[in-house]
Each structure stands twice: as structure tokens, then as C-alpha cells.
Amino acid sequence: MIRGMYRADFHTHTPLCNHADGEPEAFVRRALALGLSEYGIADHAPMPGEPFDDWRMKQSELPAYLDWIERARRAANGTGLIIRCGLECDWLPGIEPWIEELRRLHDWDYLIGSVHYLAPGWAFDDPNFKGMYLTGSLAGDWEKYWELYAEMAASGLFDVYGHPDLIRKWGTTPEGDWTSMARGALRAMAASGGVMEINTAGFHTAGAEQYPCLPLLHEARALGVPIMINSDAHTPAALSRDYERAVGAALAAGYDSLTLPGRGGHRTFPLV
Ligand code: ZN
Ligand code: ZN
Ligand code: FE
Ligand code: FE
């Protein structure tokens, strides 16, 4: 670990989403062992029209979620570790009123916006959809993905942008200059004032690189999009995983600072 670095992880899950493991006390122990200054919990947010899918908490489980966060807070009490609370929200066209409602349900520190759905019922990152294309082609689905991502960023409803090029998850990219497809989303992120995450879960997929990949990170830097580093941990062992690799990518793209969102506004820290 690099000494003096202010290390935080704001994209982590809880067992309430049905595909994560670990007690809050175990996450806190891991956070302390790694020297994290802040541990943010942002599980998959409920969606309207339940059951929406089987990988998120129900609306009725929000109190249990807040209890889980409270347990983390108790475990961290007196250690100096700061617990933050948020949600990872799913973007779909027309979802704006629901996001606004979620925002009012609790005094969240931040909301993460993510694109997992190319259309209702079509979560492209679900292994069941691997090799299938909503539009009939890989390039068509990529265009669709980036269009949705740009809409999400332009909505101004989110504090953090989750795994920006999750569409690379299966390790396949369309032919030609696909990075130009992401330009609208990158510009929308830059205009919104939100923070883009570098998501280290990308190292552990077929894409084999952090989200977003280095070419997009370079463009984001040129556009002035602030960044933070998150793990998307679904277990305590994955908390803040590969943080140093992500720092290396950020440095390679020309970044020298990290930005953490919060209720009092953004805070900026030197990257190293
Ligand atoms: Zn998940
Ligand atoms: Zn809270
Ligand atoms: Fe996600
Ligand atoms: Fe996540």
C-alpha cells in the first residue's frame, strides 16, 4: 500500500441483493486491514414493478438495508473508518421519477448510476445474455449501450457513474473505432459534474482491464471528468481489490487526483 494515500471504496454490495456474501462486521474488518479511510455501501437499488429481477433488494427490504449499514457503522465505531451509504441505481429510459423517489427515501451520501439493462428484461451483463444481441449485432448493442449511458449522465440524477464500459464485460469489442461511440457519454459526464468511477471488477472479467479501459480514461481526463476508484465488491475479500492497479491506470491517463462525492459537495485528494 502506498503510504499517505487517502483510500476509499464507494461501490460495494450486501447479501440483500441475493448474489453477495459477508456480514457488515467482516467488510469493516477488511476495510480496516486495508487502511481504508471510507467504506461506502451502495447495493443494487429496488426497482418499480416488482418482482423486477432476482438480483436486488425489494422495496420492502430498504429498512433491512439501512439496518445492515447501521451494523457496519457500529462495527467501525471508534476506529476512524467512515461509513457512507448509497445505492447503485439502474438506468432505463423513463426511470427519472423513480430515481427522484429513491433519493427522497433516505439521506443518502451518494447515488451511483449504472447501465445493466439495454431494455427492460435485457440485462446484457447477465451470463444468460452472453453472445445474444438485443439489436441483432454487437455493434448495435454497443451503440445502444452508449446512448443509454449518455442519457443517464445527462439526467444529472447521479453522483457517481458506475463501470463506464461494462459492455466490454464479455471481452468482445466491435470492429473499427468503437471508442468514438463513448464520446457522447464522456461529454455528458464532464458536463454533469458527477464523478466517474474506475471499477476494478473489470480486471476479473473477460475484458481483463479496469472499467473504463485506458483509451476512455485518457479521453475522460482530457474532458476533465473527475474520478474515484471502486471495487464493486460482492464479498469482503474483494473490497478495494486491485486498488494499486487502478491508481496505475489513472496515472497513465494523466490524472493526479481523486474526487469523492458527498452531501457537502466533492472532496479532492492527491492520487499518490
Ligand atoms: Zn451485483
Ligand atoms: Zn444512511
Ligand atoms: Fe453494476
Ligand atoms: Fe455493483
Side-chain angles (χ1 to χ4, degrees):
M1 191 167 57
I2 302 166
R3 213 182 301 274
M5 207 160 63
Y6 196 89
R7 181 162 164 176
D9 190 350
F10 274 32
H11 187 158
T12 70
H13 292 275
T14 83
L16 283 157
C17 68
N18 305 315
H19 63 279
D21 292 300
E23 299 299 310
E25 294 78 13
F27 277 92
V28 165
R29 269 197 306 277
R30 185 75 186 139
L32 291 170
L34 291 167
L36 292 201
S37 297
E38 302 189 23
Y39 159 42
I41 302 155
D43 208 359
H44 298 289
M47 286 288 271
E50 295 178 335
F52 184 82
D53 57 29
D54 60 2
W55 50 273
R56 67 187 63 249
M57 70 184 90
K58 306 273 188 298
Q59 290 175 50
S60 62
E61 290 175 304
L62 270 167
Y65 179 54
L66 296 176
D67 284 348
W68 199 97
I69 295 169
E70 206 41 53
R71 274 177 63 193
R73 220 163 244 145
R74 273 200 302 276
N77 194 26
T79 65
L81 174 67
I82 300 168
I83 307 296
R84 302 287 183 194
C85 72
L87 288 169
E88 181 181 14
C89 305
D90 277 78
W91 179 258
L92 274 171
I95 200 72
E96 295 90 329
W98 175 245
I99 304 299
E100 282 160 4
E101 195 172 330
L102 282 174
R103 174 79 72 177
R104 282 191 296 268
L105 286 177
H106 184 73
D107 192 14
W108 310 106
D109 291 301
Y110 59 95
L111 296 181
I112 301 177
S114 292
V115 175
H116 304 106
Y117 280 95
L118 293 184
W122 195 285
F124 70 89
D125 68 322
D126 183 322
N128 293 320
F129 290 92
K130 190 180 172 180
M132 291 169 62
Y133 304 111
L134 175 73
T135 63
S137 76
L138 179 65
D141 276 20
W142 274 56
E143 292 282 5
K144 181 76 190 159
Y145 175 83
W146 287 113
E147 191 182 296
L148 289 167
Y149 209 99
E151 272 177 27
M152 175 176 80
S155 77
L157 292 171
F158 304 100
D159 307 288
V160 181
Y161 301 113
H163 37 61
D165 54 358
L166 182 64
I167 192 78
R168 283 192 309 102
K169 176 170 178 176
W170 303 119
T172 45
T173 52
E175 282 171 36
D177 177 25
W178 54 264
T179 58
S180 61
M181 291 183 188
R183 201 147 294 143
L186 289 166
R187 289 206 178 109
M189 282 190 267
S192 75
V195 180
M196 182 179 79
E197 74 171 4
I198 296 180
N199 185 311
T200 59
F203 289 122
H204 304 275
T205 65
E209 194 180 355
Q210 75 286 334
Y211 303 118
C213 63
L214 204 50
L216 297 190
L217 204 49
H218 264 115
E219 286 208 36
R221 170 73 193 106
L223 290 165
V225 181
I227 51 156
M228 67 188 308
I229 297 173
N230 295 324
S231 70
D232 214 339
H234 286 68
T235 60
L239 191 65
S240 198
R241 184 167 55 163
D242 293 319
Y243 188 88
E244 292 82 357
R245 280 180 86 181
V247 168
L251 290 171
Y255 279 97
D256 60 8
S257 66
L258 292 172
T259 302
L260 301 187
R263 280 173 283 198
H266 289 173
R267 293 164 299 142
T268 301
F269 302 91
L271 190 54
V272 286

